[in-house]
Amino acid sequence: MTTETVTPAPSSGKLSVRSLLQSNLRDFGLVIALLVIMVFFQITTNGVLFKPVNLTNLILQNSYIIIMALGMLLVIIAGHIDLSVGSVSGFIGAVAAILMVTYKLPAIPVGLLCLIIGAVVGAAQGYWIAYLKIPSFIVTLAGMLVFKGLSLAVLGGASVGPFPTEFQLLSAGFIPDLIGPWNIGGTPLHATTLVIGVVIVAAMLITGFRTRTRRISNGYDAEPTALYIVKNAIIALLILFFTYLLASYKGLPNVLIVMSILITLFVFITKRTTLGRRIYALGGNSKAAQLSGIKTERLTFIVFIIMGVLAAVAGLIFAARLNTATPKAGQGFELDVIAAVFIGGASAMGGVGQVAGAVIGAFIIGVMNNGMSIMGVNIDWQQVIKGLVLLGAVVFDVYNKKKA
């Protein structure tokens, strides 16, 4: 008998358009769905959706949902759920209002204290879930009721406000124009915002080109050149277009800067750190993760601390936007946050999900809320439509997994 050695053919370094679309169907589908929804509401609202003032409001209205969706993504990837995030954010806003409005304490120390309280809340819930093995659904459902009641107790059943001006800048403020303004075509533009947009596009293109070149030189597959160019050109034009729209109003909102920093941080955590890889391993197979040496209890504990801190950040932003704390603040937020993560491609079984998907899912929910409100759709039908969209996203995900 003779043994014949078969040498595999070297990779061409290129992927066909068909195979690329099939392997990234969910990601491409999300982006296309968001664009289709935006174009639909732009037409049905007679151009109101893309007006600079409404685009700014869209960002402000959904910033706290996106921020909480980042934490919820980690929770769901780890194989858990958190139903208390809306109530916790409302409770944090209530505490901030009492300390700043009633006791006249400075905004920055109060903000830091609220973040610590959020971490303590997340740690308390995480302890019950991680170490006492109580299902996260039960613990966070109890937390939702507890913190909803505490909000009422702290505020005494009444709204408290207004907040100090420096605190309002967290949500209502905009970055200063250090360069301009520039007058282009008779329209004054926020020059600093335009420059930031150009820098972001340039950094994206340079980073993408270097990554692609490195992959090809190392023999890995890469998308076809034509598709690569078209995709990056579309993304760059969209960024520049939205930057121009924001620059024609008041520029970049402060909350968008905060949100961008957090998104970048969580992309880094999920893709580049041991912590991120272990969270995916925990959600994929907790038994195997434990046998491989991962301290699953501590990891779950950390995930819920992160969720608590982000719920606190969202609560502060929402309170600053309303300029008052109300007993009903945060009510229903958990539904939009969880829907955003699932629409963004996370699996209810854990172990699957991406930051970009969660952010796009949050924007899909936000654009639908904004567009339907402009159209005058009743709140009851809004809930029906969002429920159907969520169900459709989950069915699509299950179909793709079975097909694979």
Side-chain angles (χ1 to χ4, degrees):
M1 295 179 64
T2 59
T3 303
E4 182 178 348
T5 302
V6 179
T7 303
S11 172
S12 65
K14 298 292 181 63
L15 289 171
S16 68
V17 175
R18 181 177 179 181
S19 63
L20 185 68
L21 290 175
Q22 287 177 343
S23 60
N24 295 275
L25 180 61
R26 181 83 197 204
D27 297 332
F28 285 119
L30 275 176
V31 175
I32 293 172
L34 177 59
L35 293 176
V36 169
I37 290 172
M38 294 181 77
V39 170
F40 171 78
F41 282 115
Q42 173 70 359
I43 295 172
T44 55
T45 60
N46 296 319
V48 174
L49 184 70
F50 284 168
K51 285 187 176 180
V53 61
N54 187 66
L55 188 63
T56 301
N57 287 333
L58 185 63
I59 294 171
L60 298 179
Q61 289 168 1
N62 293 281
S63 56
Y64 37 88
I65 299 297
I66 293 173
I67 289 171
M68 285 192 286
L70 296 174
M72 188 65 72
L73 176 68
L74 296 187
V75 171
I76 290 175
I77 288 174
H80 298 286
I81 197 74
D82 191 341
L83 302 177
S84 68
V85 292
S87 298
V88 172
S89 66
F91 170 69
I92 293 296
V95 171
I98 293 299
L99 294 178
M100 278 188 275
V101 178
T102 304
Y103 292 100
K104 309 296 182 183
L105 297 180
I108 293 179
V110 170
L112 294 175
L113 178 61
C114 287
L115 295 183
I116 294 173
I117 293 174
V120 171
V121 169
Q125 297 192 128
Y127 176 82
W128 288 85
I129 295 165
Y131 295 102
L132 300 183
K133 306 301 180 184
I134 300 176
S136 58
F137 181 90
I138 301 299
V139 172
T140 58
L141 178 61
M144 179 177 69
L145 299 175
V146 167
F147 292 106
K148 188 178 296 183
L150 286 177
S151 297
L152 284 167
V154 168
L155 295 174
S159 298
V160 176
F163 286 100
T165 304
E166 61 270 20
F167 180 71
Q168 296 177 40
L169 293 177
L170 176 63
S171 184
F174 296 81
I175 64 171
D177 193 350
L178 304 176
I179 304 174
W182 291 341
N183 197 305
I184 300 178
T187 302
L189 298 175
H190 197 279
T192 303
T193 296
L194 291 177
V195 171
I196 291 175
V198 172
V199 170
I200 290 174
V201 169
M204 179 197 73
L205 294 177
I206 292 172
T207 303
F209 178 76
R210 288 179 175 176
T211 302
R212 173 182 167 81
T213 303
R214 193 182 306 118
R215 286 183 62 87
I216 294 176
S217 63
N218 292 330
Y220 292 104
D221 290 330
E223 57 193 351
T225 303
L227 180 61
Y228 168 78
I229 293 173
V230 171
K231 183 188 74 174
N232 282 275
I234 292 174
I235 294 174
L237 289 174
L238 286 174
I239 293 175
L240 293 175
F241 173 67
F242 285 113
T243 301
Y244 172 80
L245 292 178
L246 293 175
S248 63
Y249 181 53
K250 293 183 179 180
L252 291 176
N254 291 336
V255 71
L256 181 59
I257 303 299
V258 174
M259 189 172 66
S260 301
I261 292 173
L262 288 174
I263 291 172
T264 303
L265 175 62
F266 274 78
V267 168
F268 177 77
I269 289 173
T270 55
K271 290 184 176 294
R272 301 287 184 179
T273 67
T274 302
L275 175 65
R277 290 191 290 271
R278 288 179 175 177
I279 292 173
Y280 279 100
L282 171 63
N285 191 324
S286 61
K287 293 291 184 182
Q290 192 169 20
L291 291 173
S292 67
I294 296 175
K295 297 180 179 179
T296 55
E297 290 87 358
R298 187 175 69 179
L299 194 59
T300 300
F301 184 68
I302 292 172
V303 166
F304 276 92
I305 290 177
I306 294 172
M307 183 71 260
V309 172
L310 291 181
V313 173
L316 293 173
I317 291 174
F318 184 69
R321 173 170 168 73
L322 288 185
N323 198 21
T324 185
T326 67
K328 292 186 177 181
Q331 187 172 351
F333 282 2
E334 62 278 349
L335 301 179
D336 281 347
V337 172
I338 293 171
V341 175
F342 283 135
I343 289 173
S347 171
M349 298 296 104
V352 177
Q354 298 290 337
V355 171
V359 173
I360 293 174
F363 271 115
I364 287 176
I365 292 291
V367 171
M368 290 175 59
N369 286 336
N370 184 265
M372 289 188 291
S373 297
I374 295 173
M375 292 174 62
V377 178
N378 290 334
I379 188 66
D380 47 0
W381 284 108
Q382 290 188 29
Q383 299 299 325
V384 170
I385 294 172
K386 287 194 293 183
L388 292 175
V389 169
L390 173 60
L391 180 61
V394 174
V395 169
F396 181 72
D397 185 57
V398 171
Y399 171 77
N400 282 335
K401 288 179 180 177
K402 287 183 178 180
K403 191 175 180 180

